[in-house]
Amino acid sequence: MSDRVTISQVAEEAGVSAMTVSNVLNGRPGASEETRRRVLDAAERLGYQPNLSARNLKAGRTGLIGVMTLDLTGQYGLEIVRGIADELASDEREMLISATYQEAVRELERTQFLARGLVDGVLMVAPALEDATLEALRRKNLPCVVIDPRRTDASLPRVTVDNYGGTRQAAEHLLELGHTRIAYIKGIADLESSELRYKGFHDALRLAGVDLDERLVAESDFTYTQGFRITSALIAEHRPTALMAGGDLIALGAVDAARACGLRVPDDLSVVGFDDLPQAAQTFPALTTVRQPLHDMGKLGTRMLLSLIDGRPLLMENMQMPTDLIVRGTTAPPADALPAAGEEDECATPSHGDDQ
Amino acid sequence: MSDRVTISQVAEEAGVSAMTVSNVLNGRPGASEETRRRVLDAAERLGYQPNLSARNLKAGRTGLIGVMTLDLTGQYGLEIVRGIADELASDEREMLISATYQEAVRELERTQFLARGLVDGVLMVAPALEDATLEALRRKNLPCVVIDPRRTDASLPRVTVDNYGGTRQAAEHLLELGHTRIAYIKGIADLESSELRYKGFHDALRLAGVDLDERLVAESDFTYTQGFRITSALIAEHRPTALMAGGDLIALGAVDAARACGLRVPDDLSVVGFDDLPQAAQTFPALTTVRQPLHDMGKLGTRMLLSLIDGRPLLMENMQMPTDLIVRGTTAPPADALPAAGEEDECATPSHGDDQ
DNA sequence: CTGTTAGCGCATTCAG
DNA sequence: CTGAATGCGCTAACAG
């Protein structure tokens, strides 16, 4: 068990009362220079540091922020968490991370735990946000901000991103390059963001008068593995000249699938991702993708939460952040003459372990 | 501010004393069925949940574990953190993550903060562990376990990994394939693990009677970017047939560099990484690498810490975990006839943003 | 300038 | 079976 030095021990050591020690240590006026020195001395000697549980109990606040995240597996949530950490670092606050492992039940349970006075507020990253969880938050009147919610119908302050605009811009980029046979691999279907991204792509094509071939559209679970498999199948069956993915991992799988099929990227197949994860810049050729300002989303959400906690008004309940198309090395005009479809249709299968 | 329901409110609502409420809710005997029901009812109605600061103050423990990690950027530390989270999930404990951003000062500061009764113990992942920090831990008598320390001279219980054996086995694999011109890119020089890894490589070659060409050895900062740059240079100048890296990111950069130089992996250049990060399996060809059981290291460290906290004896102060060579797609025998060194020595530079 | 009193919310001790 | 007193460590309000 951790040893504790209490304020009264310091008081005794310094030959003053506990109150005086408290005053001195908290920089409050009203202590002679002489006393002050004696107290600081004693505190230093004993290695005293105020116990936080006691202080929290007294103050009714803890200086801790709870962060609920799907899991700690993916770079996606992680980049947001980094933003949160960076913003908090300048604010004398600590971050308590709870992983929900995609389970709504666990999300509720963890929220209730945090709401027991452990944290002053909660940031939820891409939460399931079931009604029971919302109710629990409301009951406790616990400040909460949602970053990238799966649904936007919950009436909580939130940070979202311009999913629609992102894919639309990306699709326009491909259209300008001259592509018309553009495949699209969606992310997980029941996320609102997945639908919005697809819609942006869809609208861009329609507005350009390009027919959308339904056979070039597929769904996935956001993983590299599925990106690889689905792309292999698409190439073998329908030979798109470009492919857009609802997430970077899918896109990275697509690039490798193309390569495994003997196609060159971007010459034979252009690929565009979504997210701009660190990995996107760290491949060759580097991935053209739609950048979500994940780090800034974390920072902004944190600032909003801190406002709520301090009782300051929120400028906006729903902050939508812009997306940016980052053109790197995986997009180019379609090759005028496609290589004759030869025997290389037998796509290799990547020998990889687990997903994500 | 978060609304609070206290035990006395529940007591009043149920028409009993606070003590009875406490007894009922903590499952202690000594309450009539009738009373019990009334209490549970009232608690439910009011949404009562015991305040944690109060309970912690009383109990002298918090149920929280502090995790000090370099940063939240890399998959490396993250995999360990995941292991910690998974182990903790089954143990009614919460995890408080503090990022130190590689700064020893901040590491000390964060440690002191946590030691103020906020956590029952600390897990340090790859910490700088300066003397001041050690001293702070010792003074507070705060249970602490170190995972993958940069130096092993600190007298704290720790979880390490067989760095030496890992690279040695990997080097032997390359030697068996017939390679003799093997390059090596070290990780950050002042980590003990970097030295051990290099030593394993070095010894394997010496034991096999293979001359080590010093010009094929370089240092890096563990990043993809440096892996790419250094490999490009090595290929242009010295044409190794195989390359070992002190970390997977370096290796991934090396693979892409080879590709950018027009070499095929593994035909023209075999590459072996170290770590087995998730990305290693998610490329094509998938990376042959030395697997560190990062997840298990997190789990084991956590179990050790929980033992310390509960006052149970530790089986061993220093647990060394094994490494495993995972042979995937980036290693093969050297091509008998190397392609004539042509003009493709102009290696392309990857267009990527930031490091790591 | 410094000390005393009291209470944050809970749970342990001991009476009733 | 239940309740009243007590203290965990700290600090706000007041008194000296």
Side-chain angles (χ1 to χ4, degrees):
Chain A
M1 213 244 333
S2 168
D3 291 343
R4 8 186 34 140
V5 180
T6 73
I7 198 170
S8 52
Q9 288 174 42
V10 178
E12 189 172 355
E13 174 88 7
V16 297
S17 81
M19 200 54 241
T20 302
V21 175
S22 175
N23 282 333
V24 170
L25 263 45
N26 290 299
R28 268 184 291 270
S32 69
E33 199 41 52
E34 159 66 11
T35 313
R36 173 180 307 279
R37 238 193 10 73
R38 275 226 312 289
V39 168
L40 291 176
D41 236 53
E44 171 66 24
R45 208 161 38 243
L46 270 51
Y48 170 76
Q49 292 195 279
N51 176 288
L52 289 172
S53 290
R55 176 176 284 182
N56 295 343
L57 175 57
K58 187 96 183 76
R61 31 169 264 101
T62 63
L64 297 181
I65 297 296
V67 177
M68 302 281 296
T69 168
L70 283 182
D71 55 39
L72 292 164
T73 322
Q75 284 293 343
Y76 176 78
L78 197 65
E79 289 299 311
I80 295 178
V81 171
R82 275 185 57 210
I84 297 170
D86 289 350
E87 187 67 30
L88 249 30
S90 57
D91 200 284
E92 281 299 87
R93 284 174 182 281
E94 216 63 18
M95 173 180 61
L96 206 148
I97 299 186
S98 248
T100 61
Y101 301 96
Q102 324 260 7
E103 293 170 42
V105 184
R106 199 169 161 78
E107 183 173 306
L108 170 60
E109 181 194 301
R110 293 297 82 192
T111 305
Q112 285 177 324
F113 183 78
L114 296 183
R116 289 170 60 180
L118 235 200
V119 299
D120 298 336
V122 179
L123 277 165
M124 313 203 69
V125 179
L129 262 196
E130 296 206 329
D131 292 338
T133 309
L134 282 170
E135 171 65 13
L137 287 167
R138 209 192 45 66
R139 264 181 107 135
K140 286 285 182 171
N141 199 19
L142 188 66
C144 178
V145 171
V146 183
I147 299 177
D148 190 27
R150 299 189 211 182
R151 310 161 359 198
T152 49
D153 51 358
S155 63
L156 284 174
R158 59 179 182 269
V159 178
T160 57
V161 101
D162 184 12
N163 289 296
Y164 175 86
T167 39
R168 183 151 161 195
Q169 196 188 346
E172 283 162 359
H173 165 63
L174 290 174
L175 290 165
E176 272 165 30
L177 287 172
H179 292 277
T180 53
R181 290 193 57 70
I182 308 176
Y184 191 95
I185 305 181
K186 299 183 189 180
I188 292 172
D190 57 308
L191 300 190
E192 217 175 278
S193 58
S194 289
E195 276 317 304
L196 285 170
R197 289 177 197 177
Y198 177 65
K199 196 160 182 305
F201 162 76
H202 187 272
D203 285 2
L205 262 62
R206 212 183 33 195
L207 284 166
V210 171
D211 277 339
L212 175 60
D213 183 346
E214 294 287 349
R215 295 169 310 170
L216 290 177
V217 178
E219 262 173 29
S220 81
D221 59 2
F222 275 120
T223 59
Y224 171 91
T225 311
Q226 287 215 6
F228 193 102
R229 292 209 187 112
I230 293 170
T231 304
S232 299
L234 284 171
I235 290 173
E237 294 162 21
H238 306 295
R239 278 289 165 102
T241 64
L243 181 148
M244 281 179 55
D248 276 352
L249 290 179
I250 306 172
L252 291 172
V255 169
D256 284 349
R259 203 173 268 153
C261 289
L263 300 187
R264 290 163 305 163
V265 174
D267 311 77
D268 303 326
L269 183 74
S270 285
V271 177
V272 180
F274 201 109
D275 287 339
D276 195 26
L277 301 183
Q279 290 105 300
Q282 296 184 358
T283 48
F284 186 81
L287 188 67
T288 294
T289 191
V290 177
R291 175 168 162 72
Q292 286 196 71
L294 297 171
H295 191 263
D296 289 341
M297 288 161 69
K299 295 192 74 152
L300 177 59
T302 305
R303 281 202 298 277
M304 288 169 71
L305 181 63
L306 295 180
S307 286
L308 283 177
I309 291 174
D310 295 344
R312 278 174 281 145
L314 236 43
L315 296 175
M316 293 181 56
E317 286 284 300
N318 176 15
M319 298 288 285
Q320 188 180 70
M321 314 271 303
T323 47
D324 279 307
L325 179 67
I326 309 288
V327 177
R328 287 196 274 240
T330 56
T331 46
D336 289 335
L338 288 175
E343 298 64 5
E344 69 273 39
D345 273 356
E346 335 292 304
C347 286
T349 301
S351 63
H352 41 56
D354 29 27
D355 285 2
Q356 175 61 298
Chain B
M1 212 239 340
S2 166
D3 291 343
R4 15 194 19 149
V5 181
T6 73
I7 199 169
S8 51
Q9 288 175 40
V10 178
E12 189 174 355
E13 174 87 8
V16 296
S17 81
M19 199 52 244
T20 301
V21 175
S22 174
N23 281 333
V24 170
L25 263 43
N26 290 297
R28 269 184 291 271
S32 68
E33 198 43 52
E34 161 64 10
T35 314
R36 172 180 308 280
R37 237 195 8 74
R38 273 224 314 288
V39 168
L40 291 176
D41 237 54
E44 170 68 24
R45 206 159 41 242
L46 270 52
Y48 170 74
Q49 292 196 281
N51 176 290
L52 289 173
S53 291
R55 176 175 287 183
N56 294 343
L57 175 57
K58 189 103 197 45
R61 29 169 265 101
T62 63
L64 297 182
I65 297 296
V67 177
M68 301 281 296
T69 170
L70 282 184
D71 56 40
L72 292 163
T73 323
Q75 283 294 341
Y76 176 79
L78 197 66
E79 289 299 309
I80 295 177
V81 171
R82 275 186 56 208
I84 297 170
D86 288 350
E87 188 68 30
L88 249 30
S90 58
D91 201 284
E92 281 299 87
R93 283 174 183 279
E94 217 64 18
M95 173 180 60
L96 206 147
I97 300 186
S98 249
T100 60
Y101 302 96
Q102 324 260 10
E103 294 171 42
V105 184
R106 199 171 161 78
E107 183 174 306
L108 169 60
E109 178 196 303
R110 294 296 81 193
T111 305
Q112 285 177 324
F113 183 79
L114 296 182
R116 291 170 58 181
L118 235 199
V119 300
D120 298 335
V122 179
L123 278 164
M124 313 204 69
V125 179
L129 262 195
E130 297 207 327
D131 293 338
T133 310
L134 282 170
E135 170 64 13
L137 287 166
R138 209 192 46 65
R139 264 181 108 134
K140 286 284 183 173
N141 199 18
L142 188 66
C144 178
V145 171
V146 183
I147 299 177
D148 191 27
R150 299 189 211 180
R151 310 162 357 199
T152 50
D153 52 356
S155 65
L156 285 173
R158 60 179 182 270
V159 178
T160 56
V161 101
D162 184 12
N163 289 296
Y164 176 85
T167 40
R168 181 149 164 196
Q169 197 188 346
E172 283 162 0
H173 165 62
L174 289 174
L175 290 164
E176 273 166 29
L177 287 173
H179 292 277
T180 53
R181 288 193 58 71
I182 308 176
Y184 190 95
I185 305 181
K186 298 184 189 180
I188 292 172
D190 58 306
L191 299 190
E192 215 173 281
S193 57
S194 289
E195 276 318 302
L196 284 170
R197 288 178 197 175
Y198 177 67
K199 195 160 184 303
F201 161 76
H202 187 270
D203 286 1
L205 260 60
R206 211 182 34 194
L207 284 166
V210 171
D211 278 338
L212 175 58
D213 184 347
E214 294 287 349
R215 296 169 308 169
L216 290 177
V217 177
E219 262 175 31
S220 81
D221 59 2
F222 276 121
T223 59
Y224 171 91
T225 309
Q226 288 215 3
F228 193 102
R229 292 208 187 115
I230 294 170
T231 304
S232 299
L234 283 171
I235 291 174
E237 295 162 20
H238 306 295
R239 277 291 164 100
T241 64
L243 181 147
M244 281 179 56
D248 275 353
L249 290 180
I250 305 172
L252 291 172
V255 169
D256 284 349
R259 204 174 268 152
C261 290
L263 299 187
R264 290 162 305 162
V265 174
D267 310 76
D268 303 325
L269 184 74
S270 285
V271 177
V272 181
F274 201 110
D275 288 339
D276 196 26
L277 302 183
Q279 290 105 298
Q282 295 184 0
T283 47
F284 187 82
L287 188 68
T288 294
T289 191
V290 178
R291 175 170 162 69
Q292 285 195 72
L294 298 172
H295 191 264
D296 288 342
M297 287 160 69
K299 295 193 73 152
L300 177 59
T302 306
R303 280 203 298 277
M304 288 168 73
L305 181 63
L306 295 181
S307 286
L308 284 178
I309 291 174
D310 296 345
R312 277 174 281 146
L314 236 42
L315 295 177
M316 292 180 55
E317 286 283 300
N318 176 15
M319 298 288 285
Q320 186 179 70
M321 314 270 306
T323 47
D324 278 307
L325 178 67
I326 311 287
V327 178
R328 287 196 276 239
T330 55
T331 46
D336 288 336
L338 288 177
E343 299 60 8
E344 68 270 40
D345 273 356
E346 332 294 301
C347 286
T349 301
S351 61
H352 40 57
D354 30 27
D355 285 2
Q356 175 62 297

